[in-house]
Structure formats: structure tokens, C-alpha cells
Amino acid sequence: MRHCIATVCLSGPLEDKLAAAAGAGFGGVEIFEPDLIGSPLSPAAVAARARELGLEIALYQPFRDFEAVPEERLRRNLRRAEAKFEVMHELDVSTMLVCSSVDPEAVDDDALASEQLARLADAAERHGFRIAYEALAWGRHVNEYDHAWRIVQAADHPALGLCLDSFHVLSRRTSLSTIDAIDAEKLFFLQLADAPRLGMDVLQWSRHYRCFPGQGVFPLADFTRRVLDRGYSGPLSLEVFNDVFRQADPDRMATDARRSLLVLEEEIDGLRSSMPPAARLLGYAFVELGVGPASAADTQGQLHALGFAQVAAHRSKPVALWQQNDVRLLLNAGAAPGAGIAAIAVESADPGACARRAQALLAPVLDRSRGPGEADLAAVGAPDGTSVFFCTTASRWPSDTWLSDFEPVLATGGVKPTGIRGIDHIALAQPFDAFDEAALFYRSVLGLSPLDSVELAAPAGLVRSRAVVNDTGEVRLVLNVPLLGDSAGEQLRLQHIALSCEDIFATARAMQARGLRPLAVPANYYDDLEARHALDPSLSASLRELDLLLERTDCGDFLHLYTATIDGRVFFEVVQRPPGYTGYGAANAPVRMAAQRAAAPDRPLAATNGRRE
Ligand code: MG
Ligand code: MG
């Protein structure tokens, strides 16, 4: 199918929007009229620019408030249409979108609407054009697609057909069964948009919160499949009004948009899809932490107390491998921009297949500067700037894996493990404008499933948090983003690595014996915990002593603790997860964030936004 995107989806002047669409591999665009009106380029110049970029202009939109009006108004509307047809000739576009009227003068008369739309279609036909009639969800008299279809049927004009817009159909929960009765030659255009479930006025919902397919809750695969089953052969075209996307980099957004269509097609095609399937992930091979002058000693100190030892050093880079059991962390002293999670590496049975899928989904392949004889690790860049590696780690070492890039260091006198068994989850702070994009990226590229979003209150503002996990729970990522961009404080950019253990009391005691105090939890928290749960007094005393947090769940107690924040950016969590529990102790997150704030009162609340450098 051809992929198109409406210019309204992207930020920037019209020529930037066109360039972004072409750069992401779209075959065409819908020209959103205000984008043209505000452009210094003539329609002919826009057409020429689109041609140069290999873009078809597939739709001119929207033409508003046309039908079911008094005769005098109709004459004026037809004159307005003639002027737009001249623009369409210059733009070299043959289909105009007419959305159902919201004009207070329009009357509730289907026969009149049909007759007037037929007159518009007559005029369009004289130019060789077509009219695609769309029921706006908030249209004055026509606000459901099946109603628009009855009007189009009654008009019975070859130049008049329907535009189906998934938002208008699915937001009103109109039955989809009428789609099965629409003739293919009357399906002139298909616009796709998803949206989160929100209880609000449908116009506001549409204008501000639409998102790309797969980023909301609409059953878009089912909807699109029904339209395709009728024989629709026009483009799949995205029309998304979104406050955040309009503020984001158009090239990145266009890539995100195109990825959403590739994922949708894969969902529709199922096994017939040509997309390389997601390979099974077996956990994390390593996590790479950047360390700078301000964070190296703290990071090493915390790792040591957590029971990790440096076991190897990279042969050619300033990278140290720290390990406990099979948990491997790389400390990279050469990574920009200093402290923070620079890379995650997932363990896969077939890293090549992972990389091929990532590439097919438009993930940027990273160029790794390799020394002679070093392992060729496939890596792609995530929207938040994190590198994602795909690898297979042999259990023996050295061997022909990424581990063979490392030289063992001399034993430094036996660090005793503390019972850390694995990486439970990794929490990544997302730039304000990359949240939906990141969720779709990790979901599609790594084959992870998104869980529901939760909103958490930090002293510096609200944080939205969403986990994406694989089906075995071996790969869990938590994506966090400040709800409002410009007020994003440093605190809202924190990342963490959560390490799992089987006996958190023993682990916490071992850490404390090595001099590491966890993040201090206020007594009020424990008073409340005791009020809510009839806690065993000895359990309560241990929680207080060790600064442990508890979430009592149907699966058992989820217990966790945090280390101090390193260089205002990154910290560790230790968790004891009861079998079957799929959460992250979200109820405790505000307490944690307040405690972090209390521990660093001199750090600015409002700092630079979390954008990538
Ligand atoms: Mg539309
Ligand atoms: Mg966590």
C-alpha cells in the first residue's frame, strides 16, 4: 500500500514537512490547507517541490461547511470551490476532502445535502477531480460515516465518494458493519489516526490528542482490514492532530509515523507480512553506563557495595566490565554526555534477525567504531538516544562474542556477592516529545508489550510512566516522561537500573555492611504502611531499619530499595519481586521521588528540558 501523511501531523514550514515526509519514505502527502495558505511558496512551487522529493499530493483538505445550505449560500460555496479547484490544478492533486458541515445555517435535510454535494461533484468532475465526503464526529447534522454513506449513495454521482477517517468512526463507536456494504469505487480515501481513551469533548479529543496507529487504544487493524477487504486501493494516510507531535522534530515524527504504518500492516497481514518477525529475547546481555569525572567514583562505590566486581577491561576503549553472577554492567568513561544509561543490550537467540527487524522498522543503525578483531555488535538508536544492542553471550568466556573484546583484570581480592541475580527492569527518562514514539519503538522493534500508563507525582511535577515488557518478563523497560515539557526539572530526567534478588533483607544488610546507606525513607511512610496493612512488627522494624519500600499485592509483597542518585542522573534499585507480580511498586514512586528531592535540596527543580543533545 502507498503510505501518505497529512502535513498537519508535522511541525515546521510546509517545505520542511514535505522533506520530512519524503525522508521517512512516505509516497505522498495530504496538503492541509492552512499549511499552504501560510506558505510563501505558490501551489505550483509546492507541487514542483513534492515532485522533486518523489511525493504524490494525494489529497487537498479540508473544504468546510459546504452542504445543506440555502441557495444563496450554496452559490457562494460553489464559487469558493471553483477557486480551490484552480489551486488543485496547480498543486496537481485530484481529490478534495469535504467534511460534513458544522455551519449553524446548515439544515438537517439529507436530500438537500445529497443534491448540493452532487452539484459540487458536477463542478469537480468538469475539472477531472473527485470529492471525498467525510463525516466529522462533531458535524452539525452528519457526524457518523454510515450517515455520510447514505447521503453519498443518494447523490449517486461518480465524482462523489467517501473519506473514512478512523478517528471520526472509532471515537463515536459507530458500528463498523456498514463498511462491509460500501462499494469499493466509493471509498475515495482512508485516513488513519489512533487516540488514547479520554473522557472529553470529541472535538478537543480529536484536535489535541490523536496519535499514530498503535499508540492509542483504537482497534485500527480491524478497522483498516475491513476497508481493505472491500477492495479499497488508495493510500493509507495518517491524519494526526497532536499538540506534542506538532512541537517535535518533523524528521523524527515522520519516521515514527511511517513506523506506525509498517507495524499496522504487519498486524493486518499477520503471517503474510514481509516484516522480519521479532526474535525471542532472553534478558539483558549488559547495560552500559556512562561515567564522567563527577560520577565515576560514586558509581564504582555503589557497584562495589552492591556486590559487583570489575572483572575485565575493554581492549581498546575506556570501558570496564563489572559483574555479579550473570549480571553485567559496563562503565564507559568515554561516553557522551557523561552519567547515565548509554546503552542496553538485549540477549537474543538471533541478533541478526533482531537487527534486520529494527532496520525494517526504520531504526537508525549505529556505526560502531571498532578496533581490529572486535565483535561486530548490531546496534540501533532509540528515540531517546539510548543505543540498543542485540547480542548472544556464550556462557563460556573468552569466546567469540562481545565478551572477547574484554581482557580479564587481575583478581582484586574477592568481592563477595550480595545475592543480585538479574536485571529486573531499566527505567529510561524520555524527552518530553518522545514518549509515544519511544513506546512504539520499543514495542515494535523489540517485540515488547506496553502496559497501561500511570501518572506519578514528584515534587518537581507529574511524571507519566509506561512499562513495555516481553512475554517472559525477562526484558522490562519503564519509560518515564514529564507530563509538561518546559517545566521539566532535572528530577524528572532520572534513570535507574533495577537489580533483582531473592532475599532483599540479606542483600540490603550486605550493602549496609559495606557502608552504602540506601535512599532514606521517611518515618511517615512506614506509619502509613502500618495503618494500611497489619504488618508484623518485626517486618515493620526491618523495613524501617533497611529503608525498604513495600507494596502488598495479590501475589505477595513487592519489596524494593534505592541507592543515592549519582550526579543527578542515575541510581540503582534493588527489588524482590513476588512470582506473578507484573508491577513496579508504582504506589511507592512518589515517596521515592520526594525522598530523592529531600536528599538533594540544592539541585535545581527546573533545569534544562530532557531533550537529546
Ligand atoms: Mg479527517
Ligand atoms: Mg523501578
Side-chain angles (χ1 to χ4, degrees):
M1 307 280 313
R2 278 174 299 149
H3 291 175
C4 290
I5 185 166
T7 54
V8 71
C9 302
L10 303 169
S11 69
L14 184 52
E15 53 271 39
D16 289 6
K17 295 171 185 243
L18 296 178
F26 282 96
V29 292
E30 302 175 20
I31 297 286
F32 180 59
E33 187 173 70
D35 284 331
L36 176 72
I37 292 173
S39 173
L41 299 178
S42 70
V46 172
R49 186 73 195 115
R51 259 194 308 277
E52 276 167 31
L53 291 165
L55 292 172
E56 172 203 8
I57 298 181
L59 188 74
Y60 188 65
Q61 61 116 327
F63 191 74
R64 297 185 191 279
D65 295 335
F66 174 78
E67 77 282 17
V69 288
E71 188 60 26
E72 166 51 26
R73 267 302 282 280
L74 178 70
R75 269 197 296 278
R76 277 189 279 145
N77 287 347
L78 285 168
R79 197 194 61 227
R80 182 161 58 98
E82 282 297 334
K84 298 305 172 187
F85 292 151
E86 293 309 320
V87 172
M88 287 172 62
H89 279 298
E90 277 197 67
L91 278 176
D92 195 19
V93 53
S94 58
T95 305
M96 180 164 85
L97 178 127
V98 174
C99 46
S100 61
S101 182
V102 298
D103 188 342
E105 268 197 58
V107 292
D108 187 8
D109 182 339
D110 286 1
L112 186 65
S114 281
E115 182 208 314
Q116 295 186 345
L117 282 165
R119 284 170 70 180
L120 178 65
D122 265 339
E125 195 176 33
R126 284 195 290 276
H127 291 270
F129 295 158
R130 308 193 303 173
I131 300 298
Y133 183 52
E134 172 193 72
L136 285 183
W138 54 91
R140 187 165 170 83
H141 303 295
V142 179
N143 42 43
E144 303 211 68
Y145 82 95
D146 47 0
H147 189 180
W149 169 231
R150 289 196 298 276
I151 289 172
V152 166
Q153 264 184 311
D156 191 25
H157 195 292
L160 180 67
L162 279 183
C163 170
L164 290 182
D165 178 322
S166 64
F167 181 88
H168 295 306
V169 177
L170 298 170
S171 63
R172 296 193 60 115
R173 303 182 188 229
T174 314
S175 161
L176 301 185
S177 59
T178 299
I179 294 175
D180 304 339
I182 301 174
D183 306 324
E185 68 270 18
K186 287 293 179 189
L187 289 168
F188 281 8
F189 212 79
L190 176 61
Q191 292 179 318
L192 297 173
D194 204 341
R197 180 67 60 207
L198 294 171
M200 69 192 307
D201 168 66
V202 71
L203 173 75
Q204 296 304 322
W205 188 16
S206 173
R207 293 254 169 98
H208 301 281
Y209 297 99
R210 288 187 182 210
C211 52
F212 297 124
Q215 296 176 339
V217 297
F218 287 163
L220 277 171
D222 179 40
F223 173 82
T224 310
R225 196 182 292 115
R226 275 173 186 263
V227 178
L228 298 182
D229 283 351
R230 293 307 300 156
Y232 172 75
S233 58
L236 301 181
S237 192
L238 296 166
E239 190 198 25
V240 168
F241 306 83
N242 181 294
D243 297 350
V244 176
F245 298 177
R246 283 199 211 217
Q247 218 173 297
D249 173 70
D251 296 320
R252 257 185 42 221
M253 279 300 112
T255 301
D256 181 36
R258 180 105 200 295
R259 181 177 298 130
S260 77
L261 285 181
L262 294 168
V263 174
L264 179 68
E265 283 184 327
E266 181 185 36
E267 211 180 322
I268 292 169
D269 291 351
L271 295 174
R272 289 178 295 131
S273 170
S274 58
M275 183 70 65
R280 204 159 74 82
L281 301 183
L282 308 160
Y284 299 97
F286 64 83
V287 179
E288 180 180 318
L289 278 168
V291 287
S295 58
D298 281 352
T299 310
Q300 290 164 353
Q302 288 199 5
L303 284 182
H304 185 266
L306 283 161
F308 285 78
Q310 190 194 334
V311 297
H314 198 274
R315 292 177 196 279
S316 62
K317 295 176 189 161
V319 179
L321 168 58
W322 289 67
Q323 186 166 340
Q324 176 173 187
N325 295 315
D326 279 334
V327 186
R328 297 181 180 91
L329 302 172
L330 304 184
L331 300 195
N332 187 344
I341 296 170
I344 57 176
V346 288
E347 190 73 39
S348 164
D350 190 347
C354 290
R356 283 192 296 280
R357 176 176 178 80
Q359 249 180 298
L361 287 165
L362 313 176
V365 176
L366 297 181
D367 175 34
R368 297 290 291 178
S369 47
R370 285 184 287 133
E374 292 181 359
D376 184 6
L377 284 181
V380 295
D384 56 16
T386 309
S387 304
V388 179
F389 288 87
F390 305 108
C391 39
T392 302
T393 311
S395 52
R396 279 170 299 112
W397 175 40
S399 58
D400 188 24
T401 70
W402 65 274
L403 282 170
S404 58
D405 293 350
F406 287 82
E407 192 99 56
V409 295
L410 292 175
T412 48
V415 178
K416 261 182 69 186
T418 58
I420 301 294
R421 292 279 159 200
I423 293 175
D424 183 85
H425 63 273
I426 299 169
L428 296 169
Q430 301 301 307
F432 164 60
D433 57 5
F435 189 62
D436 289 328
E437 180 189 3
L440 180 67
F441 175 90
Y442 288 113
R443 174 167 86 82
S444 61
V445 170
L446 299 184
L448 307 178
S449 306
L451 307 183
D452 287 343
S453 286
V454 291
E455 284 167 15
L456 310 167
L462 286 180
V463 174
R464 179 175 292 150
S465 180
R466 187 171 203 189
V468 285
V469 302
N470 78 341
D471 50 4
T472 61
E474 286 168 300
V475 174
R476 294 187 175 99
L477 298 173
V478 178
L479 310 175
N480 295 326
V481 72
L483 233 62
L484 297 177
D486 289 337
S487 65
E490 210 173 53
Q491 196 192 4
L492 306 187
R493 301 172 49 220
L494 296 179
Q495 307 172 319
H496 68 268
I497 300 172
L499 303 163
S500 60
C501 67
E502 278 154 21
D503 179 355
I504 197 167
F505 299 98
T507 300
R509 290 215 161 81
M511 287 167 58
Q512 294 211 4
R514 284 165 212 198
L516 187 72
R517 287 290 310 172
L519 180 71
V521 177
N524 293 344
Y525 169 78
Y526 296 105
D527 295 344
D528 174 65
L529 210 56
E530 284 167 3
R532 285 189 290 125
H533 310 294
L535 289 189
D536 179 80
S538 70
L539 171 62
S540 184
S542 297
L543 297 177
R544 287 177 191 264
E545 175 205 343
L546 298 168
D547 286 300
L548 292 176
L549 297 150
L550 175 147
E551 182 158 310
R552 186 146 281 183
T553 79
D554 292 343
C555 307
D557 287 348
F558 178 73
L559 293 157
H560 52 151
L561 65 82
Y562 297 94
T563 67
T565 304
I566 300 167
D567 198 21
R569 180 67 169 147
V570 68
F571 59 91
F572 296 96
E573 180 181 6
V574 178
V575 314
Q576 183 184 319
R577 177 181 288 280
Y581 175 65
T582 56
Y584 300 85
N588 294 327
V591 176
R592 184 258 296 168
M593 293 190 285
Q596 287 171 326
R597 175 68 192 150
D602 53 338
R603 292 200 85 94
L605 272 180
T608 51
N609 196 353
R611 262 167 224 283
R612 290 175 304 173
E613 267 76 6

